Amino acid sequence: MTNRTNRRRFLGQSAAVTAGVGYWTGTSLASDVKPESALNALAAGCIGVGGKGGSDTSHIGNQGVRVAGLCDVDGDTLTKKGREFPDAEKFDDFREMLDKLGDKIDIVTCSTPDHTHAAACVRAMNMGKHVYCQKPLTWSIREARMMRETAEKTGVVTQMGNQGTSDDGLREAVEIIRSGAIGDVAEVHVFSNRPVWPQGGGRPAKEDPVPDSLNWDAWIGPAPMRPFVAGAYHSFNWRGWVDFGTGALGDMACHTTNMPVMALKLWDPIAVTAVKNPGIVDGEQFPASSELVFEFPEREGLPACKFYWYDGGNLPSEDIISKLPQSFQKRVAQQREGGRKMSGAVVVGSKGVLFSPDDYGAKYYLLPEDKYVDYKAPEPTLPRIPFKASADERQKWEFVSTIKGEYEPGTMSNFGYAGRLTETILVGNLAMRAGEGQRIQWNAKDLTSPNVESVNQFVQREYRSGWELS
């Protein structure tokens, strides 16, 4: 038996201990000293190596992982990243990379547009690869469930790229809410400065030649084929298109709602309504702005709760804004007058308010400030990563160290947690399909709406031939 096979068996055994864990009740810190052993000789294949994928690839490499494969549909991007990792094999189709590298890699990172996440990651997990995938975890609700189930079945280590999860500030805010410091929470308000890409339009009525450097078939992947139009989809504006992205909600809610969802166990809404919704434009693009309300029942001793989402410049009512510090009330006033849009999360309790002006939930205020001037945070119940660095780097360290068996608590945004978070969030996009004011009842167990059956067709998709989940 080879050393690589021995190592892979050990990694799988240690991964099974930590996969699927959503949160912790105790603290266990990793040692500052990393033992030198064969476990450190990990290799990765990285899918999507431009934009955010560029830093994801570099951060994985910085953890002592050998980057053995680089995959990107854009040849220019692939060439550029190849200068950083000259020994890595290059591919423009992740299926070919996974088939060829096979047992040569232990880790797969996936930093592609939303619509190809599941196709790449399910395949990789079924091959026994540990997977780091960007947020949102998937394009569809059904895919999020499948990713969670596949991670549990295979026992691999997983992590989603909502890096604020690794910040001490988010973990402390979660502990404060759970401790009852702000009382019972019956409403949460989250507003976002997104979208910062085109939304609210229809499909371009033209077609451009596909650049020689672009594998357009692989970029389309599981989605229905359509003509290439320069600048419309690749490389950034895909987020607003329903075939490829998940809009402002999918892009940012896995960041901005992460802290209150974790603290309040906001899983499996029973209903969602688009309070403001211009609608999906020509079946092609998400609206330029929206306002949603999710309804959650009583759960595990917590009271029923409503979660309000605002994007495209929409903001909570003045009653909610008046609870914020004066400096932020001033910024909101400037936004209402056409100024720069801001983001924030307001968790309203019966005793007080926790407000985070940070996209990651890593910074927070307890309000009213005079009431909490002498407040001391509770003793930690969640683990802390034992060094200072950017949230991105800390999250990659948590992922790789868990694979090596050197970090006992395991990954915090594993697919057991991230899959549930993504499912919760993407139910909101069904409301965009149903129209303004239509309350969609939701059966999370079966992933169906019993009262608006027309939206059930959007819970999953038919995959283009050759790109099915496997």
Side-chain angles (χ1 to χ4, degrees):
M1 186 176 292
T2 66
N3 289 335
R4 176 171 291 278
T5 303
N6 283 327
R7 185 182 77 234
R8 189 181 301 280
R9 174 175 292 181
F10 179 89
L11 295 177
Q13 290 170 344
S14 60
V17 176
T18 54
V21 179
Y23 55 90
W24 295 261
T25 57
T27 301
S28 178
L29 297 180
S31 168
D32 290 333
V33 180
K34 297 181 179 180
E36 292 295 328
S37 73
L39 290 177
N40 289 319
L42 296 167
C46 300
I47 305 171
V49 298
K52 191 69 186 71
S55 61
D56 286 343
T57 303
S58 297
H59 289 155
I60 285 290
N62 291 342
Q63 297 302 322
V65 176
R66 181 174 63 87
V67 176
L70 297 171
C71 180
D72 202 285
V73 298
D74 191 314
D76 294 337
T77 299
L78 196 58
T79 298
K80 181 179 178 181
K81 202 62 181 176
R83 298 188 188 108
E84 184 178 348
F85 300 100
D87 296 330
E89 292 191 60
K90 301 178 184 66
F91 303 86
D92 66 0
D93 186 323
F94 66 77
R95 300 170 301 177
E96 295 177 6
M97 184 186 79
L98 293 174
D99 287 345
K100 183 175 182 181
L101 295 187
D103 280 346
K104 297 178 182 179
I105 58 173
D106 310 283
I107 292 170
V108 168
T109 67
C110 181
S111 307
T112 63
D114 302 348
H115 70 294
T116 49
H117 286 185
C121 294
V122 169
R123 182 184 294 246
M125 286 188 286
N126 280 330
M127 294 175 68
K129 313 306 177 189
H130 309 291
V131 175
Y132 184 97
C133 182
Q134 263 305 323
K135 56 79 199 167
L137 189 61
T138 56
W139 176 87
S140 77
I141 300 169
R142 176 72 67 182
E143 288 172 339
R145 178 70 58 88
M146 292 180 69
M147 291 271 268
R148 175 158 56 110
E149 291 174 344
T150 304
E152 182 177 4
K153 177 188 72 175
T154 58
V156 296
V157 176
T158 56
Q159 182 92 301
M160 184 176 75
N162 54 344
Q163 58 265 35
T165 311
S166 299
D167 197 286
D168 288 352
L170 178 142
R171 299 184 183 195
E172 184 171 273
V174 167
E175 292 163 346
I176 288 171
I177 295 171
R178 288 182 182 173
S179 75
I182 63 171
D184 291 334
V185 176
E187 56 184 287
V188 174
H189 299 260
V190 177
F191 47 102
S192 174
N193 60 9
R194 275 13 178 223
V196 292
W197 52 82
Q199 280 191 197
R203 185 184 295 202
K206 66 171 187 172
E207 178 177 358
D208 294 322
V210 178
D212 292 338
S213 60
L214 180 64
N215 184 339
W216 184 238
D217 182 77
W219 192 94
I220 291 289
M225 179 54 71
R226 68 171 63 200
F228 172 81
V229 179
Y233 315 112
H234 175 72
S235 60
F236 178 71
N237 290 334
W238 53 268
R239 291 192 182 277
W241 298 93
V242 297
D243 271 355
F244 311 123
T246 49
L249 179 69
D251 176 55
M252 286 307 293
C254 285
H255 284 315
T256 53
T257 71
N258 187 22
M259 179 267 291
V261 165
M262 187 183 299
L264 298 167
K265 304 175 184 177
L266 296 178
W267 315 123
D268 305 337
I270 57 172
V272 61
T273 305
V275 179
K276 293 182 181 178
N277 177 24
I280 304 293
V281 179
D282 296 336
E284 292 283 350
Q285 276 197 342
F286 292 99
S289 65
S290 66
E291 182 177 328
L292 310 172
V293 57
F294 297 72
E295 301 173 38
F296 297 88
E298 293 184 6
R299 62 224 172 274
E300 299 183 39
L302 296 169
C305 183
K306 289 186 177 182
F307 155 51
Y308 298 83
W309 167 266
Y310 314 81
D311 65 42
N314 289 327
L315 289 163
S317 67
E318 287 299 332
D319 177 60
I320 299 300
I321 297 300
S322 68
K323 301 178 187 297
L324 307 186
Q326 286 293 326
S327 60
F328 289 97
Q329 291 186 42
K330 182 177 179 180
R331 288 180 59 189
V332 168
Q334 291 171 343
Q335 176 177 324
R336 293 190 191 281
E337 294 172 1
R340 183 179 179 182
K341 297 181 179 66
M342 61 181 290
S343 300
V346 187
V347 184
V348 183
S350 58
K351 298 178 182 178
V353 170
L354 188 145
F355 167 58
S356 174
D358 179 77
D359 276 338
Y360 297 161
K363 299 176 182 178
Y364 65 86
Y365 294 81
L366 289 172
L367 306 167
E369 291 179 285
D370 57 355
K371 179 177 178 178
Y372 292 94
V373 66
D374 295 322
Y375 177 78
K376 293 184 179 179
E379 287 296 315
T381 55
L382 299 176
R384 301 293 194 266
I385 293 175
F387 65 92
K388 299 295 182 183
S390 72
D392 245 348
E393 292 170 310
R394 287 158 63 92
Q395 199 182 39
K396 307 303 192 310
W397 178 90
E398 186 178 64
F399 173 62
V400 173
S401 295
T402 298
I403 295 171
K404 293 178 179 179
E406 298 174 1
Y407 184 62
E408 183 181 339
T411 53
M412 197 162 184
S413 196
N414 59 74
F415 291 178
Y417 172 80
R420 297 195 76 181
L421 171 62
T422 302
E423 271 190 41
T424 292
I425 295 307
L426 293 185
V427 172
N429 276 343
L430 296 183
M432 307 283 194
R433 304 279 193 172
E436 188 167 296
Q438 173 66 63
R439 182 176 182 268
I440 300 174
Q441 296 173 12
W442 182 244
N443 180 334
K445 180 180 179 180
D446 298 333
L447 300 183
T448 58
S449 171
N451 73 316
V452 186
E453 295 183 2
S454 61
V455 303
N456 291 332
Q457 62 183 303
F458 303 112
V459 170
Q460 59 188 345
R461 79 177 342 152
E462 290 187 15
Y463 298 96
R464 199 160 61 94
S465 179
W467 295 90
E468 299 87 356
L469 272 61
S470 61

